[in-house]
């Protein structure tokens, strides 16, 4: 176990932190060689990404702390101390708070909230609305805090020149389209009447501790992601979103049955399906096809069969693939419109 976790931190440093977080890269290499910290990391439940949860839990405790360690975190200060001296302070803080950390390991999950992914969802939803002229009922699987359910509430700037969405929004999302021209429909904001977020552990942004946890998941140097998240959270807290805890595959049919007939259902999820077992993916598709025998609906997703983003129209038990986007950046800094 110790040997495997050490290698996990080394891979994390090399494959994920390099050119992204100098602090976490340096700490990861040193944690990999420290028996005490690796032993503590072994308390993280199986199935959770160990380094991510370890660092998030530590940053969570730092938020309300006055510990000297905060001087090394770009999330807390502009006058950063050199990371060359960070490890002793990091280890002391972690070991001094190891019982609190173990509790967080047991109760918290690594849940990503990348609101910038709305940059490629928005043209899809605008195109769907333009085509059918029906208010949308958005149902997100793996919603976490529901940031993407506010898709039409944000302002978009594509390739630093094309504007779309809510021009008065507090939040502007910048993204580069590396594909074909976006549809003219993006100039007309879609109408969304129902927002439903499904998750095994939905997060309430009105809860101070939940909000702090999501902030702690953002890496210290990622200022833009933090800024986007904080602005999106302000918007989301004022929207009427119905969060449902539980297995989405099990509940999707009963939820869709409650949507008024004058609304067009759009079931969507991004970077979630890779966590759904193969049998459950098949079950989800069969249930969506079953729903389509009574009313047409859309399914927008990636990571079901490949990493591309798909837009499927399902009607009368048949799936019609309307669009498959090319490659997209994981944080949606760019995408390829087709």
């Amino acid at each position: 176990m110790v040997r495997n976790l050490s290698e996990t931190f080394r891979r994390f440093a090399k494959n994920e932190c390099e050119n992204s977080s100098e602090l976490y890269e340096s700490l990861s290499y040193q944690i990999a060689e420290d028996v005490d910290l690796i032993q503590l990391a072994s308390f993280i439940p199986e199935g959770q990404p160990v380094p991510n949860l370890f660092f998030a839990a530590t940053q969570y405790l730092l938020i309300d702390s006055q510990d000297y360690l905060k001087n090394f975190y770009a999330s807390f200060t502009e006058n950063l101390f050199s990371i060359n001296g960070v490890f002793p302070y990091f280890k002391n803080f972690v070991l001094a708070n190891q019982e609190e950390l173990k509790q967080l390991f047991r109760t918290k999950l690594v849940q990503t909230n990348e609101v910038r992914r709305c940059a490629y969802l928005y043209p899809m939803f605008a195109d769907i609305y333009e085509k059918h002229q029906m208010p949308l009922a958005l149902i997100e699987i793996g919603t976490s805090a529901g940031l993407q359910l506010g898709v039409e509430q944000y302002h978009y700037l594509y390739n630093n020149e094309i504007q779309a969405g809510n021009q008065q929004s507090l939040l502007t999302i910048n993204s580069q389209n590396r594909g074909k021209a976006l549809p003219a429909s993006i100039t007309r904001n879609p109408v969304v009447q129902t927002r439903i977020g499904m998750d095994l552990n939905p997060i309430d942004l009105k809860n101070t501790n939940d909000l702090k946890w999501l902030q702690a998941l953002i890496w210290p140097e990622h200022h833009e992601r933090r800024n986007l998240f904080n602005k999106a959270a302000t918007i989301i807290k004022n929207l009427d979103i119905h969060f449902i805890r539980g297995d989405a595959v099990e509940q999707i049919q009963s939820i869709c049955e409650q949507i008024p007939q004058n609304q067009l259902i759009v079931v969507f999820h991004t970077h979630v399906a890779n966590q759904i077992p193969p049998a459950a993916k098949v079950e989800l598709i069969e249930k969506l096809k079953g729903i389509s025998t009574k009313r047409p609906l859309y399914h927008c997703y990636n990571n079901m069969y490949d990493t591309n983003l798909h837009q499927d129209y399902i009607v009368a038990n048949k799936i019609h693939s309307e669009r498959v986007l090319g490659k997209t950046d994981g944080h949606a800094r760019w995408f390829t419109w087709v």
Side-chain angles (χ1 to χ4, degrees), residues 9 23 26 56 83 93 102 104 129 133-135 144 185 193 197 228 289 294 333 338:
F9 275 95
L23 176 64
S26 174
I83 62 168
F93 179 82
K102 290 177 185 177
L104 291 172
Y129 176 72
Q133 291 297 304
M134 291 177 66
S144 189
S185 56
Q193 285 193 349
L228 288 173
K289 288 168 65 178
K294 298 180 179 179
R333 291 167 293 190
V338 175

Side-chain angles (χ1 to χ4, degrees), residues 179-238:
K180 295 184 178 180
L182 293 171
S185 56
I186 65 169
T187 61
R188 294 173 287 279
N189 218 12
V191 175
V192 178
Q193 285 193 349
T194 298
R195 307 172 203 270
I196 297 175
M198 308 178 69
D199 202 289
L200 294 174
N201 183 51
I203 292 180
D204 181 6
L205 290 174
K206 296 176 183 177
N207 181 298
T208 302
N209 288 329
D210 282 355
L211 180 61
K212 278 173 33 180
W213 176 249
L214 292 187
Q215 291 170 331
L217 283 167
I218 301 172
W219 295 7
E221 298 92 338
H222 293 188
H223 299 299
E224 186 179 21
R225 289 178 63 204
R226 187 176 298 105
N227 183 50
L228 288 173
F229 170 78
N230 288 335
K231 289 183 177 180
T234 300
I235 294 169
I236 288 297
K237 283 189 286 187
N238 293 313

Side-chain angles (χ1 to χ4, degrees), residues 72-83:
F72 299 92
Y73 277 68
S75 44
F76 301 125
T77 180
E78 295 180 358
N79 301 312
L80 282 174
F81 287 13
S82 169
I83 62 168

Side-chain angles (χ1 to χ4, degrees), residues 115-252:
V115 68
R116 199 202 294 265
R117 290 175 187 156
C118 286
Y120 51 62
L121 291 174
Y122 179 82
M124 279 188 165
F125 296 169
D127 195 41
I128 290 170
Y129 176 72
E130 178 84 359
K131 187 176 299 181
H132 296 273
Q133 291 297 304
M134 291 177 66
L136 305 182
L138 301 181
I139 302 175
E140 183 179 17
I141 296 174
T143 193
S144 189
L147 300 189
Q148 293 180 119
L149 286 167
V151 59
E152 93 292 1
Q153 298 289 317
Y154 310 134
H155 174 234
Y156 300 91
L157 184 62
Y158 296 106
N159 299 70
N160 295 317
E161 58 180 356
I162 303 171
Q163 299 194 58
N166 180 3
Q167 304 284 329
Q168 308 304 316
S169 181
L170 171 71
L171 171 61
T172 295
I173 295 176
N174 290 276
S175 188
Q176 296 291 313
N177 171 27
R178 297 181 176 179
K180 295 184 178 180
L182 293 171
S185 56
I186 65 169
T187 61
R188 294 173 287 279
N189 218 12
V191 175
V192 178
Q193 285 193 349
T194 298
R195 307 172 203 270
I196 297 175
M198 308 178 69
D199 202 289
L200 294 174
N201 183 51
I203 292 180
D204 181 6
L205 290 174
K206 296 176 183 177
N207 181 298
T208 302
N209 288 329
D210 282 355
L211 180 61
K212 278 173 33 180
W213 176 249
L214 292 187
Q215 291 170 331
L217 283 167
I218 301 172
W219 295 7
E221 298 92 338
H222 293 188
H223 299 299
E224 186 179 21
R225 289 178 63 204
R226 187 176 298 105
N227 183 50
L228 288 173
F229 170 78
N230 288 335
K231 289 183 177 180
T234 300
I235 294 169
I236 288 297
K237 283 189 286 187
N238 293 313
L239 292 180
D240 182 15
I241 300 176
H242 181 39
F243 289 100
I244 298 175
R245 182 183 300 273
D247 190 307
V249 177
E250 292 179 0
Q251 301 184 65
I252 190 66

Side-chain angles (χ1 to χ4, degrees), residues 250-317:
E250 292 179 0
Q251 301 184 65
I252 190 66
Q253 188 168 345
S254 62
I255 289 170
C256 287
E257 289 172 353
Q258 301 171 36
I259 305 297
Q261 289 290 330
N262 65 344
Q263 298 179 28
L264 180 60
I265 295 173
V266 180
V267 177
F268 73 98
H269 46 93
T270 60
H271 296 273
V272 169
N274 57 308
Q275 301 176 41
I276 301 176
K281 291 182 184 180
V282 173
E283 184 181 355
L284 173 62
I285 296 301
E286 289 305 310
K287 286 191 173 182
L288 294 179
K289 288 168 65 178
I291 295 165
S292 76
T293 61
K294 298 180 179 179
R295 61 190 300 175
L297 73 155
Y298 275 87
H299 184 206
C300 302
Y301 58 90
N302 61 10
N303 289 5
M304 286 284 284
Y305 319 110
D306 53 43
T307 58
N308 294 331
L309 191 69
H310 296 249
Q311 177 183 317
D312 291 349
Y313 184 50
I314 312 177
V315 58
N317 207 38

